[in-house]
Amino acid sequence: MRAHALIFLGAPGAGKGTQAREVAKCYGIPQISTGDMLRDAVQRQTALGLAAKARMESGKLVPDDVVDGIVEERINRPDCKSGFILDGFPRTISQAQFVDRILAAKGEGRPLVLDIEVTEELLLKRLTGRRTCSVCGEIYNVHFNPPKVEGTCDKDGGKLFQRADDNEATIRQRLEAYHRQTSPLIEYYRGQGVLLALDGDRDPEAIAKGLLDYLSKA
Ligand code: AP5
Ligand code: ZN
């Protein structure tokens, strides 16, 4: 199977960003994270950021047309010509249909969808423990993958920060949005025969190894 577009699906905290970074590095293709793009817009206080901020802080999804627009613009850039990874998009059936239309218009085949499955109890601990490097974006976890020096990135000494939506109340809302709006995508893609389910309860290196082995053969 050859897939131009790889889609990472999974609940908040499942490890989409962690695994997408590895695959992007290995294949030299861009990781397109709608969450990262939206957070960047919020920080720069652009019109998009101002429109998205309140919904992100409350753990609700940003409207489909807003996210579809930024993804379409990003996918059309030249660095996506030999493939790209969608991390955190699509998240609704409407967004999935939008991706189908874009890929069809480009004459591309169907995407390959990697669904990271994690036991619900682990998600809260992963999300409240997450810390991210403000310089390179490396993802740490105070419980599962702590940096050598607290609050500091091992790679470049950058300061680690905690995301505004990684508090318990917002996490509960994000999980609710996932179950109601995003989890139906599992059946959507299973029906297309393009879904690969990954056991996300293992350590990140084991997941990455299995995934990269699979992709090298696919
Ligand atoms: P987004 O940024 O996409 O957040 P999310 O889906 O909630 O996912 P996360 O980034 O929290 O988790 P992840 O699966 O990437 O886990 P990670 O690898 O970091 O979206 C944020 C918000 O933006 C949304 O709520 C919404 O408002 C808006 N938005 C974004 N996209 C949208 C869209 N398409 N439509 C509408 N709105 C949209 O790992 C988590 C932690 O666990 C880390 O600390 C990591 O070190 C650790 N970890 C990872 N893997 C393992 C492992 N195997 N074992 C132990 N620890 C692990
Ligand atoms: Zn760093």
Side-chain angles (χ1 to χ4, degrees), residues 16-18 34 39 60 91 130 140-141 174 202:
K16 302 181 292 295
T18 301
T34 42
R39 276 185 290 281
K60 295 198 178 103
R91 256 175 151 96
R130 171 167 50 198
Y140 294 88
N141 193 287
R174 287 161 61 199
R202 297 167 294 157

Side-chain angles (χ1 to χ4, degrees), residues 32-111:
I32 302 175
S33 159
T34 42
D36 285 350
M37 289 193 284
L38 290 166
R39 276 185 290 281
D40 180 61
V42 169
Q43 204 190 358
R44 290 188 291 113
Q45 300 188 353
T46 62
L48 168 66
L50 294 174
K53 188 169 189 276
R55 295 188 78 93
M56 293 178 76
E57 280 175 356
S58 64
K60 295 198 178 103
L61 294 186
V62 173
D64 290 335
D65 56 338
V66 173
V67 193
D68 288 353
I70 59 172
V71 170
E72 183 170 26
E73 188 277 326
R74 182 65 189 84
I75 286 176
N76 282 329
R77 290 199 213 156
D79 64 341
C80 290
K81 276 218 164 67
S82 37
F84 53 87
I85 298 170
L86 294 174
D87 161 13
F89 184 94
R91 256 175 151 96
T92 62
I93 295 285
S94 158
Q95 291 178 14
Q97 291 167 337
F98 182 75
V99 175
D100 288 347
R101 286 199 297 278
I102 294 187
L103 295 181
K106 285 174 170 293
E108 304 289 351
R110 293 202 180 280

